[in-house]
Amino acid sequence: MYTLQDDQVALVDAVREFCLDRLAPVAAADDANEHFRMDLFRAMGEQGFCGIPTPEAYGGLGLGYMEYALVLEEIARHSAAWAVTVAVTGLPQIILRTYGDEAQRERWMPGLASGEILGAFALSEPGSGSDAAALKTTAVRDGDDYVLNGTKFWITSGGVADLYVVMARTGGPGAGGISAFLVPAGTPGLSFGRKEEKMGLRSSPTAEVILEDVRVPATHRIGPEGVGFKVALSALDSGRITIAAISVGLSAVATAYAARYATEREQFNTAIIDFQGVGFLLADMATRTDAARLLVHRAASLRDAGLPYALEAAMAKVNATDTAMAVTTDAVQVMGGYGYTREHPLERYMRDAKVMQIVEGTNQIQRLVIARHLKKRYTER
Ligand code: COS
């Protein structure tokens, strides 16, 4: 029987209470004004939101990806932008936990888990998005240091983050020539270009990260030279579960909002949910949302059990994000003219849903990953 455990329900209730108190009141205005609040991030960190799956020994809550998915879904019901900020500060933690050495873990993980350090992940470049292995940023060894040069694009929390994990080329072309580095904010030569004006996720800043002769000690390299691509892609496997969970939050809140409206709204002396054209739309929205959540929970459970989950994470991501786009669009349709205005949050949900089909690997890349897994499975038989 598939049910949540009591402590999981209690965790979600606590997150909801915080979000209703601190996040919901500012979500719409901060979206309109593109306003990011560092104090709110630190407060979320104090609540433990930033280190849900990080071991207690490194300052986290030591829970699983199931709990992480549940928490991110709940935050996303109030603000997908904030859920993404929390998810992305998790990427350096996953990376350090898997590939970092003990000194790096002790230095950075407790701060990241508690929200004292806001983390960012810098892989994409102007000419390297889906083809991540084509990145051009360089890291050249110079004595006990590396010197980094290049430009990173579309970096979540760019300009406000305290710590950047930067993928840079230390060797030849392709995936095998890439290494990962820790670059703290304030390092000379690290600067930020244009802050993007985005369609959605507007209270989460996204900026260009510029590295000009940025010198970091060799102890800031994560793992051996040449494993940076694996570092990045394995973090993205986990990140895809988080983006999927956030998308389920968007679908769930949009469905609830539209269903409530359709129950109250009367036309022709009838609640519009009783017209099959609207009722069936809502029925499909609710069903698709729950199906998407099940795929997210499957991927999270596999990860928590220490089993392979990359395929299931890609499936969960492609399904949940396509679902969020469809469901939020239909939710606007249910509310008609009201849904299209900023008096209601549905247009924000719809704008926020769009980017979920793009980030952490476009949905075309997810399908490519899934197809490659299928090819491997059916070749090996
Ligand atoms: N985890 C760990 N290692 C992985 C991996 C994963 N999920 N996927 C691939 N690798 C490894 C491979 O095993 C291979 O290593 P070996 O040569 O030692 O076997 C190496 O990485 C290269 O793999 P591959 O040949 O599959 O690389 P491709 O250049 O074909 O790229 C895709 C694969 C397209 C899947 C990858 O570039 C990708 O996911 N792109 C999207 C990037 C993305 O998500 N960007 C979003 C940034 S954050 S918003």
Side-chain angles (χ1 to χ4, degrees):
M1 173 74 173
Y2 174 80
T3 48
L4 295 183
Q5 291 157 14
D6 289 348
D7 47 357
Q8 292 172 328
V9 174
L11 175 68
V12 173
D13 286 348
V15 173
R16 181 178 308 122
E17 206 172 305
F18 175 91
C19 290
L20 286 172
D21 184 36
R22 298 290 303 271
L23 192 47
V26 297
D30 286 356
D31 172 75
N33 302 324
E34 298 189 303
H35 184 53
F36 172 77
R37 295 172 189 265
M38 190 56 98
D39 60 334
L40 187 50
F41 176 74
R42 305 284 188 226
M44 287 189 177
E46 279 170 25
Q47 297 290 315
F49 296 179
C50 301
I52 305 273
T54 298
E56 284 174 293
Y58 298 109
L61 296 189
L63 299 172
Y65 262 66
M66 255 310 271
E67 287 76 17
Y68 198 20
L70 291 168
V71 168
L72 289 171
E73 177 184 335
E74 183 58 38
I75 299 173
R77 286 172 187 244
H78 309 276
S79 164
W82 273 101
V84 166
T85 303
V86 170
V88 171
T89 202
L91 290 177
Q93 297 177 64
I94 299 159
I95 288 171
L96 288 171
R97 190 177 167 192
T98 316
Y99 289 95
D101 61 32
E102 201 46 41
Q104 291 170 338
R105 290 183 189 148
E106 280 173 13
R107 167 69 186 87
W108 301 107
M109 282 176 70
L112 287 160
S114 64
E116 284 155 50
I117 296 173
L118 171 54
F121 176 81
L123 173 67
S124 301
E125 297 185 358
S128 156
S130 292
D131 186 5
L135 65 84
K136 287 197 165 67
T137 294
T138 55
V140 176
R141 183 87 190 218
D142 182 24
D144 290 338
D145 299 334
Y146 281 92
V147 179
L148 278 70
N149 279 287
T151 301
K152 296 292 179 180
F153 241 36
W154 306 296
I155 305 307
T156 299
S157 303
V160 295
D162 304 297
L163 180 68
Y164 297 80
V165 172
V166 176
M167 264 50 71
R169 191 164 298 287
T170 49
I178 297 169
S179 304
F181 295 90
L182 290 159
V183 180
T187 306
L190 177 69
S191 65
F192 306 98
R194 195 181 66 228
K195 183 182 155 202
E196 301 298 342
E197 279 187 48
K198 305 198 300 294
M199 175 195 281
L201 299 187
R202 288 165 55 84
S203 54
S204 157
T206 304
E208 191 179 1
V209 173
I210 301 162
L211 301 120
E212 289 169 313
D213 290 331
V214 170
R215 185 174 283 274
V216 293
T219 52
H220 279 29
R221 194 190 65 225
I222 306 170
E225 273 197 9
V227 302
F229 194 69
K230 286 186 206 292
V231 168
L233 284 210
S234 63
L236 287 173
D237 286 340
S238 299
R240 286 163 188 167
I241 299 177
T242 68
I243 294 301
I246 293 166
S247 302
V248 171
L250 279 171
S251 297
V253 72
T255 302
Y257 201 93
R260 202 168 299 121
Y261 173 84
T263 306
E264 287 164 8
R265 169 78 167 171
E266 287 191 359
Q267 292 290 277
F268 309 101
N269 295 320
T270 307
I272 62 170
I273 196 168
D274 290 328
F275 295 118
Q276 287 190 345
V278 174
F280 282 15
L281 205 55
L282 287 160
D284 285 345
M285 289 158 64
T287 306
R288 290 184 70 177
T289 300
D290 284 6
R293 185 184 295 108
L294 289 174
L295 281 186
V296 174
H297 289 183
R298 177 180 71 158
S301 311
L302 286 169
R303 195 186 190 288
D304 290 341
L307 295 167
Y309 64 93
L311 167 65
E312 291 79 5
M315 287 176 166
K317 197 271 184 185
V318 77
N319 179 268
T321 60
D322 282 352
T323 296
M325 192 68 251
V327 166
T328 55
T329 304
D330 286 346
V332 169
Q333 191 68 23
V334 168
M335 287 195 68
Y338 290 113
Y340 199 63
T341 70
R342 295 222 166 143
E343 266 188 46
H344 297 276
L346 290 180
E347 60 83 31
R348 169 162 59 93
Y349 302 153
M350 190 177 158
R351 287 187 283 106
D352 288 348
K354 181 61 217 171
V355 81
M356 303 301 166
Q357 296 177 302
I358 299 169
V359 291
E360 311 256 339
T362 63
N363 282 4
Q364 286 68 31
I365 288 296
Q366 306 308 316
R367 290 182 168 95
L368 180 144
V369 168
I370 295 165
R372 284 184 180 182
H373 276 271
L374 292 178
K375 185 176 175 191
K376 197 159 170 267
R377 180 188 298 170
Y378 293 107
T379 306
E380 279 169 358
R381 282 159 35 92

